[in-house]
Amino acid sequence: MTSLLASIPFAASAQSSQLNLTQGVTEISNRVYDLHMTIFYICCVIGLLVFGTMFWSMIAHRKKQGVKPATFHENVKVEIAWTVIPFLILIGMAIPATSTLIAMEDTSESDVTVLVTGSQWKWHYKYFDHDVEFFSLLATQQEQINNRLDKGENYLLEVDRPLVIPTGKKVRFLITSDDVIHSWWVPDFAVKKDANPGFINEAWTKVDEPGIYRGQCAELCGKDHGFMPVVVIAKEPAEYDAWITEQEQIAKQAKAEEQRLLAMSMTEAELMQLGESVYLGNCAACHQPNGQGIPGVFPSLVGTDMVLNDLPAHIDIVVNGKNGTAMQAFGNQLSLRELAAVITYERNAWGNSTGDLVQAADVNEYKNN
């Protein structure tokens, strides 16, 4: 994946300015930028006129100059002017703003539709009309986050599996959430939509140039809010079609392999080796590599009643997570084989030694029931 990302030029517009709105790479994002600058210049002119008049009045008509102040209390012409002129200015601002907003909300006649689901703290992408779906998680090394390594160029803005879309095609995003409110934000597309549990919001984009475009969750969604980036790769249509075909084939092979593995039993050594790898990649950030957790924040997995005695509860919490806590549901993130291995590992590592060997068939039976 690293070589793939390195082979595509990064969209420079995202780094063009740290002081102004991102100009973006789509027609809509450019319209938004132009609208922003138009309103900004109008505000500058209004500010210049108002403050200029105010300071000129204070200086030229100050008491020291012997100027006698006016004594009128009402002036119909002035009142009409300061009512009509701001009204006309607002109308002049509202017309292009409304036009742009209508265009931003028009998701009709799309060529590709992607369901975007946020959850703590990752994104799930599902392509309509194709049997392709996957999770996209932060790929920044934990050592960088813990300041043990130098920060990379795209620190906290890199993922293991980016969303891939075709150039020159209208892509519609259906955005929702599995848990709390998230917000899917890609500045280069001028797309920022809340992901609300139980609701679906719509957005769209049409990218003309291939490239890599980065964003992140823009809603305070929990303790790891800053570790929920968005990466989108725009490919030429032919490359995109080839990628979709490849992903569908990979998904088909994975399902066939999973069905084959249901009839097989892994040895304890195989389960422990795979389980350790899965644990370190998905669980160790909260429960710590030694399983001790963080007192008062994340529970320990060493010597607890559930790990030692309650296998069904252990399978349930790994598969379905626990509502109201940071414990995610891994049932759709990991394969049956990986789920079985990590549960086996947790029940036999760090001195737990239950002797329980959980197989893929056991997890599959639990999920089906």
Side-chain angles (χ1 to χ4, degrees):
M1 183 58 68
T2 302
S3 60
L4 170 62
L5 298 180
S7 66
I8 304 178
F10 176 63
S13 60
Q15 299 182 348
S16 60
S17 172
Q18 296 294 319
L19 302 176
N20 199 6
L21 188 70
T22 298
Q23 189 165 354
V25 296
T26 65
E27 178 187 353
I28 285 293
S29 64
N30 279 285
R31 286 180 62 175
V32 170
Y33 179 82
D34 292 341
L35 176 65
H36 161 74
M37 295 307 299
T38 299
I39 303 302
F40 173 74
Y41 290 135
I42 290 174
C43 291
C44 287
V45 172
I46 293 173
L48 184 63
L49 291 175
V50 171
F51 283 100
T53 301
M54 185 178 69
F55 285 118
W56 176 80
S57 299
M58 289 189 296
I59 294 172
H61 295 84
R62 64 191 187 277
K63 185 176 181 180
K64 186 176 180 181
Q65 295 292 93
V67 177
K68 196 169 184 179
T71 57
F72 69 87
H73 294 285
E74 295 182 5
N75 188 308
V76 176
K77 292 181 180 179
V78 171
E79 290 184 1
I80 291 176
W82 73 33
T83 300
V84 172
I85 292 176
F87 176 76
L88 294 176
I89 292 173
L90 288 174
I91 292 297
M93 296 165 71
I95 291 174
T98 302
S99 174
T100 300
L101 286 172
I102 291 174
M104 291 175 69
E105 296 298 324
D106 181 16
T107 60
S108 62
E109 300 181 0
S110 59
D111 301 300
V112 178
T113 299
V114 181
L115 176 63
V116 180
T117 305
S119 58
Q120 295 176 313
W121 288 269
K122 56 192 174 296
W123 297 103
H124 180 265
Y125 300 115
K126 181 177 182 179
Y127 292 77
F128 282 36
D129 303 323
H130 297 285
D131 188 18
V132 176
E133 58 180 301
F134 54 85
F135 285 91
S136 179
L137 291 87
L138 176 72
T140 296
Q141 298 180 56
Q142 194 66 37
E143 287 78 5
Q144 292 183 21
I145 297 173
N146 295 332
N147 295 315
R148 296 194 189 99
L149 289 177
D150 293 336
K151 305 292 192 287
E153 179 183 358
N154 297 309
Y155 176 67
L156 297 185
L157 291 175
E158 49 200 348
V159 299
D160 57 350
R161 296 194 67 180
L163 175 66
V164 178
I165 62 174
T167 58
K169 302 284 187 179
K170 186 172 184 178
V171 182
R172 178 175 64 148
F173 303 110
L174 304 178
I175 303 172
T176 186
S177 170
D178 276 340
D179 39 48
V180 299
I181 299 176
H182 302 278
S183 187
W184 199 79
W185 176 46
V186 181
D188 282 315
F189 300 166
V191 172
K192 179 182 177 292
K193 280 288 184 179
D194 280 353
N196 299 317
F199 295 88
I200 293 180
N201 289 324
E202 293 185 85
W204 69 276
T205 193
K206 184 178 180 181
V207 183
D208 296 322
E209 296 295 329
I212 302 175
Y213 306 100
R214 302 180 188 274
Q216 56 194 149
C217 177
E219 189 70 46
L220 188 59
C221 58
K223 78 173 190 65
D224 284 338
H225 156 68
F227 303 150
M228 198 170 168
V230 176
V231 179
V232 181
I233 297 180
K235 292 176 174 284
E236 295 286 356
E239 289 186 59
Y240 170 79
D241 290 340
W243 179 85
I244 277 286
T245 301
E246 179 186 12
Q247 296 304 309
E248 286 184 310
Q249 187 62 31
I250 291 174
K252 186 182 296 185
Q253 292 174 351
K255 288 181 180 179
E257 177 66 10
E258 191 165 84
Q259 290 301 311
R260 185 183 69 83
L261 290 172
L262 288 177
M264 298 177 58
S265 293
M266 298 175 66
T267 65
E268 180 178 0
E270 290 172 332
L271 287 167
M272 292 297 288
Q273 181 179 5
L274 177 59
E276 181 179 20
S277 174
V278 174
Y279 178 86
L280 293 175
N282 296 275
C283 314
C286 296
H287 295 289
Q288 304 303 300
N290 60 7
Q292 295 289 344
I294 300 175
V297 182
F298 300 110
S300 171
L301 299 177
V302 179
T304 62
D305 182 65
M306 180 193 71
V307 173
L308 294 180
N309 302 311
D310 197 343
L311 178 57
H314 196 170
I315 296 176
D316 178 73
I317 199 168
V318 173
V319 171
N320 298 317
K322 186 175 181 180
N323 291 333
T325 73
M327 180 60 194
Q328 325 174 22
F330 287 96
N332 292 324
Q333 298 185 53
L334 303 175
S335 68
L336 295 175
R337 182 167 169 264
E338 290 171 327
L339 290 167
V342 74
I343 294 169
T344 298
Y345 177 75
E346 290 173 355
R347 298 184 73 80
N348 293 280
W350 319 302
N352 287 333
S353 303
T354 65
D356 295 334
L357 301 184
V358 182
Q359 300 295 340
D362 300 323
V363 179
N364 185 60
E365 181 181 2
Y366 175 83
K367 293 178 70 173
N368 290 336
N369 291 332

